[in-house]
Amino acid sequence: MTTETPTRRRSPDNPGRRPEPALPELGPLGLARFVWRQLTSMRTALFLLLLLSVAAVPGSIFPQRNIDAGRVADYIAQNPTTSPWLDRFGFFDVYSSPWFSAIYLLLFVSLIGCIVPRTKVHLQALRSRPPKAPARLQRLDEHAEVVTDLSPDEALALARATLKRKRFRLHSHDATTLSGESGYLRETGNLVFHLALTGIIIGMAVGHLLGWRGDVILPEGEKFASSAGTYNTFSPGPWVDQETLPPFVLGLDRLDVEFNATPGRGFGQPREFTAYTSLAPSPGAPASEGSISVNHPISVDGADVFLLGNGYTPVITVKDAGGKVLYREATPFLAQDANYRSVGVVKVSALKAPKQLGITGFFLPTAEPTFANGPASIFPGLGNPELALSVWEGTLFPGGAPQSVYTLDTKEMTQVTKEDGSPVLVRLRPGQSYELPGGRGSITFESVKRFAGLSVRTDPGAPISLVSAILATGGLILGLTVKRRRVFVRVRPLDTTAAAGGSGGPDGPGGRDDAHRPDGSPARAATVVSIGGLSKDSDAGLAAIVAALRDSFADRKDPS
């Protein structure tokens, strides 16, 4: 059978130049192997992990729909130019966007492709014997040599006992050497760490597929019955059956909020948020009292109820010219700053288009009386509550398209004006009313309630992610603290003739007689013990191990 050698092409410009080899073409199978090897390399896995952390940054910069849909709607309304593009690329749903999912799926594949072959190699290493001792131990990172009066077999036995106490796995390939290896837990830790990362990704996937989340704004004194249609925003996983949601009933009895009223650096900062609730596992069932505070949720039927935020719900009543009530609700106003300057919208859709009313403006818990710089609150607590509103009329829902309850689309609306043509600006305190011009009715500020922003979540993948995170921490500790070490010992009889520096025998010039000790007893033949240590990485403890092994022969040195 003959093999063809690759043909070589000579350069037409320089015929005497050494010909270049003609490399074979990389076919589809070779290209697939190349891509797979690149994807499953550790370098690619680390790059994808870094890329995943970078891709998560927009989730902390832009408001997310699955956390606060109201803030997203408000952001879109305030940034009409850039928001459509951001929404198109998924910056308001970062963690469920296709590009974010693609990154962590590639990371998952890369980790699996990296872990499987490394696990196979590690299992082979666990079953294999430590390698043979090198010929020249003095060339290793750490080395020592000592002379002892033990026999070679006794010296190897002493070295074996010393290294066993240090948890080295030992093997003698011949009668004069001993090989020891330790630190297998380092690679075990690395594999556990990467498997745990895979477990975290699996936990995220399980939580995304089987978990759900619902957010609701609940004013004081009201109750909420859990179902898919009663949440303000509801985000189920693809595999969630909405008919199986826990049917609990949650009532907000009282919301205690305390702010720092002492003048100084911490003025106005929150000190306590506690929601006192009554919870029934199902309609008609006995209710139990409880409380929800920051990072202290309550649980019901596998779902956790968190307190995400709080604010104010002014009770606003809108009547027509005949005194008929068109709107009366505790309307949530969303805080815009630390002093709870809050924005909200009242949509009176009971009127027929195009004369529907839209009322938008600010609620100020402690209003600055002069409005010198516009509507502003000077303290987050209820000190001087006031509403500052503008009134619009026209079509509330252009084209019948749905919109957020926290924004008012004024494309097909005009602002209500006074007889002199100036816009109507309504300022109301609790108990006050304002008569709209042109017989449009009246607006009354009845009272103020607090609301709690509650988030109900289930995450079946959380236990998987928690266990994986603990294992990842343990594996990382093992990988960083355990060192992979090899120690070799070689023994040989001491060449007394060479040690004496002559060849004339024990009585020759410069020689010595080692046949007997000074007390006349026969002398034992001396043994030279050579020790070498090698570490896979920089290892400050390797020298101590070699020194300890050398010192174990200290009291057995040749007395001569």
Side-chain angles (χ1 to χ4, degrees):
M1 178 178 177
T2 60
T3 58
E4 297 182 359
T5 58
T7 59
R8 295 177 179 268
R9 297 191 299 265
R10 293 186 179 273
S11 174
D13 299 332
N14 187 2
R17 185 179 176 183
R18 184 177 179 181
E20 297 180 358
L23 299 178
E25 293 184 0
L26 190 65
L29 182 59
L31 180 61
R33 287 177 177 174
F34 173 77
V35 172
W36 174 252
R37 288 171 182 171
Q38 295 300 315
L39 178 61
T40 57
S41 66
M42 184 57 63
R43 181 186 304 173
T44 302
L46 293 175
F47 174 76
L48 289 172
L49 188 61
L50 175 63
L51 188 61
L52 190 68
S53 62
V54 172
V57 171
S60 60
I61 296 177
F62 301 101
Q64 300 296 296
R65 281 195 176 89
N66 63 340
I67 296 177
D68 194 339
R71 286 188 61 196
V72 174
D74 185 55
Y75 185 93
I76 292 175
Q78 294 179 6
N79 301 272
T81 304
T82 59
S83 294
W85 287 99
L86 292 174
D87 198 10
R88 185 174 300 174
F89 288 106
F91 280 84
F92 301 122
D93 299 281
V94 168
Y95 306 110
S96 58
S97 62
W99 50 269
F100 189 86
S101 301
I103 294 174
Y104 73 71
L105 286 176
L106 283 175
L107 177 60
F108 178 80
V109 174
S110 179
L111 288 174
I112 294 297
C114 180
I115 291 170
V116 171
R118 285 185 63 176
T119 302
K120 182 179 179 181
V121 172
H122 183 52
L123 292 176
Q124 291 176 348
L126 291 176
R127 293 193 300 266
S128 63
R129 299 172 178 176
K132 292 182 179 180
R136 296 177 178 82
L137 297 181
Q138 65 273 17
R139 292 185 177 181
L140 300 184
D141 297 341
E142 298 292 337
H143 59 274
E145 191 169 270
V146 64
V147 179
T148 178
D149 63 352
L150 295 173
S151 67
D153 291 341
E154 291 172 334
L156 287 179
L158 179 59
R160 183 182 295 274
T162 303
L163 291 176
K164 268 191 174 181
R165 287 195 297 269
K166 297 184 179 298
R167 295 184 177 86
F168 276 79
R169 194 176 65 177
L170 305 171
H171 181 73
S172 292
H173 291 272
D174 53 51
T176 61
T177 61
L178 177 66
S179 301
E181 193 168 13
S182 70
Y184 294 96
L185 284 179
R186 177 186 179 90
E187 182 63 13
T188 301
N190 288 332
L191 291 173
V192 168
F193 174 75
H194 289 89
L195 281 171
L197 288 182
T198 307
I200 292 175
I201 296 175
I202 293 174
M204 291 173 58
V206 171
H208 174 70
L209 295 173
L210 300 177
W212 58 271
R213 171 176 179 154
D215 297 331
V216 62
I217 289 180
L218 188 61
E220 286 179 314
E222 297 188 11
K223 292 185 177 182
F224 161 76
S226 174
S227 65
T230 55
Y231 289 98
N232 295 124
T233 60
F234 183 68
S235 302
W239 295 353
V240 171
D241 183 3
Q242 300 184 19
E243 300 298 328
T244 62
L245 299 186
F248 63 87
V249 178
L250 180 66
L252 179 60
D253 301 329
R254 188 176 81 256
L255 180 62
D256 287 351
V257 181
E258 183 179 349
F259 300 98
N260 183 13
T262 304
R265 187 174 182 179
F267 178 76
Q269 292 185 354
R271 300 178 62 180
E272 179 187 2
F273 296 112
T274 304
Y276 294 93
T277 62
S278 58
L279 178 64
S282 61
S288 59
E289 295 183 351
S291 63
I292 312 173
S293 57
V294 179
N295 295 326
H296 291 85
I298 59 175
S299 299
V300 53
D301 290 341
D304 295 323
V305 184
F306 293 86
L307 176 63
L308 282 189
N310 68 96
Y312 296 99
T313 56
V315 180
I316 300 173
T317 300
V318 180
K319 298 180 180 179
D320 63 12
K324 179 182 178 181
V325 176
L326 303 176
Y327 179 94
R328 177 177 286 166
E329 286 187 20
T331 307
F333 277 61
L334 301 180
Q336 303 296 299
D337 57 25
N339 286 324
Y340 280 54
R341 176 176 174 261
S342 306
V343 64
V345 172
V346 174
K347 298 179 181 181
V348 187
S349 56
L351 294 174
K352 295 182 179 181
K355 292 298 182 180
Q356 294 173 322
L357 285 181
I359 304 170
T360 182
F362 298 96
F363 172 75
L364 312 171
T366 304
E368 191 279 319
T370 65
F371 278 27
N373 297 314
S377 176
I378 57 178
F379 186 72
L382 287 175
N384 179 32
E386 187 171 341
L387 280 173
L389 306 172
S390 61
V391 184
W392 299 73
E393 64 179 0
T395 303
L396 286 172
F397 303 96
Q403 57 181 257
S404 171
V405 295
Y406 304 106
T407 59
L408 180 65
D409 188 347
T410 60
K411 292 179 182 179
E412 298 185 11
M413 305 189 79
T414 58
Q415 192 168 4
V416 176
T417 59
K418 301 178 183 177
E419 293 181 358
D420 59 3
S422 61
V424 170
L425 298 177
V426 181
R427 292 183 62 176
L428 296 173
R429 293 183 178 179
Q432 294 182 343
S433 298
Y434 182 88
E435 293 292 333
L436 296 174
R440 294 179 175 88
S442 64
I443 304 173
T444 303
F445 181 9
E446 304 282 355
S447 60
V448 183
K449 294 182 179 181
R450 291 189 181 274
F451 74 78
L454 302 176
S455 179
V456 185
R457 311 178 193 175
T458 62
D459 188 359
I464 301 175
S465 298
L466 176 61
V467 173
S468 299
I470 295 173
L471 290 176
T473 303
L476 187 61
I477 292 173
L478 287 176
L480 293 177
T481 57
V482 177
K483 300 296 183 180
R484 187 73 178 269
R485 296 162 176 160
R486 288 175 177 173
V487 175
F488 304 99
V489 179
R490 176 177 282 111
V491 296
R492 59 180 174 82
L494 176 66
D495 188 350
T496 55
T497 301
S503 59
D507 297 326
R512 64 174 185 167
D513 187 0
D514 288 332
H516 294 82
R517 299 180 184 273
D519 60 359
S521 60
R524 300 181 62 180
T527 300
V528 178
V529 181
S530 298
I531 306 168
L534 182 66
S535 181
K536 190 173 183 179
D537 302 306
S538 59
D539 184 4
L542 181 62
I545 293 177
V546 173
L549 185 57
R550 178 198 61 202
D551 293 343
S552 66
F553 296 95
D555 57 345
R556 307 304 301 269
K557 288 184 179 179
D558 182 7
S560 59

